[in-house]
Amino acid sequence: MAFTLPALPYDFSALEPVIDTQTMQIHHGKHHQAYVTNLNNAIAGKAELESKSAEDLIRNLAAVPDGVRGAVRNNGGGHVNHSMFWQIMAPKGTGGGEPTGPLADAIKTAFGSLGDFKARLQDAGVKRFGSGWAWLIVKDGQLAVTSTANQDNPMMAESILAPTGATSGRPILGVDVWEHAYYLKYQNRRPDYLAAWWDVVNWAKVGELFAAGH
Ligand code: MN
């Protein structure tokens, strides 16, 4: 079964004014589509790879043949990363606000306060040189912040991530800091994009992802 581009769970304009309509159209329809197409091309005809989920492919890159490992890392990662990204955002009203329940408690335990967590995530995103992502992960039962390069994902093995300064864990929130995610509206102002992004975070969905691992 070839991988397919998942539909956005809201309109392209739904995240305005935090993320503009044109950025959403290009980001979803061109960038995410390209990761899907390139992932399909990389594994075409390789039955042992075609039978796996994208998550399984990137969790165990050692099982992917040398010749396509890089393509699966980049494009499988791109597909998994963006599939989560669309889900953990929502229009203002549903998005934004504060987490509740066990997730809110875990954030306080790990970081001291929601504000301290936000500062940590924004700092990770700002300091990721070039392109990548900043993440909230569950690692050894605790919440932690990390950032990955390019389209790497924290579910990749520690041996893959460590040389890039990232750490592995189970991702429950990720923010895209590639220029394609913000440049049309924010140009060079990545910190402004990251600060505004909290207004469209779907905390209910992040809470579900947190709970799913328990
Ligand atoms: Mn992206």
Side-chain angles (χ1 to χ4, degrees), residues 1 10 22 27 57 59 95 111 119 143 152 155 163 172 191-192:
M1 254 293 275
Y10 35 72
Q22 189 183 13
H27 200 175
L57 285 170
R59 244 183 233 119
F111 305 106
L143 292 178
D152 286 350
M155 70 179 72
I172 62 170
D192 291 356

Side-chain angles (χ1 to χ4, degrees), residues 18-35 74-75 77-79 81-83 85-86 89 130-133 149-152 175-188 190 193:
V18 175
I19 304 179
D20 62 283
T21 304
Q22 189 183 13
T23 292
M24 289 300 293
Q25 288 168 331
I26 297 169
H27 200 175
H28 179 264
K30 303 296 183 187
H31 291 278
H32 189 173
Q33 179 64 64
Y35 299 124
N74 290 335
N75 297 290
H79 180 36
N81 293 351
H82 289 85
S83 296
F85 188 51
W86 313 133
M89 296 190 291
S131 297
W133 293 71
N150 304 315
Q151 293 298 353
D152 286 350
V175 58
D176 191 341
V177 299
W178 283 57
E179 286 186 344
H180 70 222
Y182 61 85
Y183 207 85
L184 292 179
K185 182 178 171 83
Y186 298 89
Q187 294 84 46
N188 61 310
R190 187 191 288 185
Y193 155 70

Side-chain angles (χ1 to χ4, degrees), residues 106-202:
I107 286 174
K108 278 200 187 74
T109 300
F111 305 106
S113 71
L114 179 63
D116 287 320
F117 159 63
K118 287 182 174 181
R120 285 278 302 280
L121 192 89
Q122 288 173 231
D123 188 58
V126 167
K127 287 181 177 161
R128 170 52 59 185
F129 185 76
S131 297
W133 293 71
W135 303 92
L136 176 61
I137 63 172
V138 183
K139 187 176 183 63
D140 305 324
Q142 279 269 335
L143 292 178
V145 165
T146 190
S147 86
T148 55
N150 304 315
Q151 293 298 353
D152 286 350
N153 181 293
M155 70 179 72
M156 292 175 183
E158 194 76 50
S159 58
I160 295 266
L161 296 178
T164 70
T167 190
S168 64
R170 187 170 66 83
I172 62 170
L173 174 153
V175 58
D176 191 341
V177 299
W178 283 57
E179 286 186 344
H180 70 222
Y182 61 85
Y183 207 85
L184 292 179
K185 182 178 171 83
Y186 298 89
Q187 294 84 46
N188 61 310
R189 302 185 307 279
R190 187 191 288 185
D192 291 356
Y193 155 70
L194 286 167
W197 184 73
W198 299 110
D199 281 346
V200 294
V201 172
N202 184 344

